[in-house]
Amino acid sequence: MSLLGSVLLAGCQTSTPAGQTPASTTSPVLASRPAPKRTAATGPGLTPAQRLTALADTVAAAQGDGTIDLPYTYLHTQAWARATDAVTRTDLRQWRREADGSGRETTRRLPDLPGLDHRPRPDDQHRLAHAPETTASRLPGSLHPYLPEPLPTQPGALADTLAPRELAAEPAYPRMLVNGVATLASSQYLDRQQRATSLRVLAAVPGIAYLGPSKDLAGRTGLTFTVTAGGSTAQLLVDPRTGEILAADERLTGRRPGLFSYVLILERGHTARAGAQP
C-alpha cells in the first residue's frame, strides 16, 4: 500500500489594494515539488529487506486496533505441530485479561496423525472447526504474554529479546528470529507500531528471502518470506496492508525431515469479557 504525504501551507492574510492580485506566499520550488511517495511493499525490484521495510513504513490499521482499550486480548489460532512421531492438530481460542493474567481457553483437537511428513490441508481446518470442544477457565497469573509489555520500540532491542545477541554467530540464529516474530504474533496482540517494529526485525534477518504472494489454508493472500538455517526452513505469510502475520510454517530439512509446525492466526483483537467474540 502506498501512502502519499501532504504539506499544508498556511500564510497570514494581509490587506491588498483594490484591483491587485495578492502575491503568492508559497515558494515556487515548493509549489512545483510533488508530495513524497513511499515505496510500495508489493512493488517490483525490491530486495526482501527493502520490501519488509517498505511494509513497515506503510502499515495500515487492522480491525483489532480499534479494540485495544477493552480488557481481554483475544486470539484464535489453529496449529499443526510435531510430537515425537506424530503430528497434533489443535484449534485454540484464548481470552487473556491483561490486568491479571486470568482468562478462558476453548480448545478443539483432532486425532494425532502418525508420521512427520503431514502437510496441513483445507479439510483439516474444516474438521478442526467442528471437532469436540473443551473449555477451561484460567485463574489469575495462569496466562502470560510471550513477551512482557511494553515491547521494545527499537528493532534491535526487540530482536535481542526474541533471540539473544550472543547467539548471532550460530547457524540457526536467523531462523530463531523469524520463529520469534511468529510466536510473538500468535501469542499476543501486536498494535500498529509493534507490527512495524516486528517487520523491521525481519528486514534485518540474515539470508531472508521473498517468494512472492501466496495463500494460506484459510484462503488469505499475503507476502511470503522464508529463511533456511540450522537444519530447517521457516516461512511467514504477511498481510500486505496491515503487516499482520497470517500464517507461519517450519519444516525440518536435516535429520528426521518433515513438518515441525504450521500455525494459522485466524482472529485477533480485544473483547469486553471472556468468551465474547471480537
Side-chain angles (χ1 to χ4, degrees):
M1 179 181 64
S2 179
L3 299 180
L4 298 179
S6 62
V7 179
L8 301 179
L9 300 175
C12 295
Q13 186 175 358
T14 59
S15 58
T16 304
Q20 294 186 21
T21 301
S24 173
T25 59
T26 304
S27 163
V29 175
L30 289 178
S32 61
R33 182 181 297 167
K37 292 184 178 181
R38 292 183 177 181
T39 303
T42 55
L46 300 179
T47 67
Q50 290 171 336
R51 199 173 298 278
L52 285 160
T53 300
L55 181 54
D57 289 341
T58 58
V59 161
Q63 186 174 359
D65 291 343
T67 65
I68 57 176
D69 292 333
L70 298 177
Y72 286 88
T73 293
Y74 170 74
L75 290 168
H76 178 201
T77 61
Q78 290 182 338
W80 291 252
R82 175 181 294 218
T84 311
D85 294 310
V87 172
T88 64
R89 298 173 290 175
T90 309
D91 180 293
L92 174 66
R93 297 174 188 262
Q94 183 190 82
W95 292 262
R96 184 181 68 247
R97 185 176 177 85
E98 296 294 343
D100 63 3
S102 63
R104 175 177 174 178
E105 291 182 320
T106 299
T107 305
R108 299 175 186 268
R109 286 195 61 172
L110 291 175
D112 295 350
L113 292 171
L116 301 175
D117 202 32
H118 177 72
R119 291 185 179 273
R121 305 186 321 186
D123 62 325
D124 281 351
Q125 190 195 15
H126 176 76
R127 291 177 60 204
L128 271 172
H130 296 87
E133 180 180 279
T134 301
T135 297
S137 296
R138 302 303 183 189
L139 297 174
S142 299
L143 300 177
H144 305 279
Y146 182 61
L147 293 180
E149 296 278 1
L151 296 179
T153 58
Q154 296 300 315
L158 179 58
D160 287 347
T161 64
L162 294 172
R165 188 177 294 271
E166 53 266 28
L167 299 179
E170 296 294 326
Y173 180 74
R175 175 177 50 79
M176 292 169 62
L177 283 174
V178 171
N179 287 342
V181 170
T183 304
L184 179 64
S186 63
S187 303
Q188 62 198 85
Y189 189 86
L190 301 183
D191 63 25
R192 195 171 180 177
Q193 177 61 49
Q194 291 167 338
R195 296 195 301 273
T197 303
S198 298
L199 292 169
R200 291 190 170 94
V201 170
L202 293 175
V205 171
I208 195 163
Y210 175 63
L211 301 185
S214 63
K215 291 186 177 182
D216 62 13
L217 287 188
R220 301 170 299 178
T221 299
L223 308 181
T224 309
F225 296 90
T226 186
V227 64
T228 297
S232 76
T233 297
Q235 184 169 293
L236 296 178
L237 189 69
V238 184
D239 188 295
R241 188 181 69 86
T242 65
E244 294 173 295
I245 305 299
L246 303 176
D249 174 81
E250 183 179 2
R251 298 189 71 84
L252 300 187
T253 55
R255 181 173 172 266
R256 303 187 74 211
L259 178 72
F260 184 77
S261 66
Y262 180 80
V263 179
L264 290 173
I265 309 173
L266 297 172
E267 296 176 282
R268 66 199 107 195
H270 297 79
T271 66
R273 59 181 177 82
Q277 293 298 111

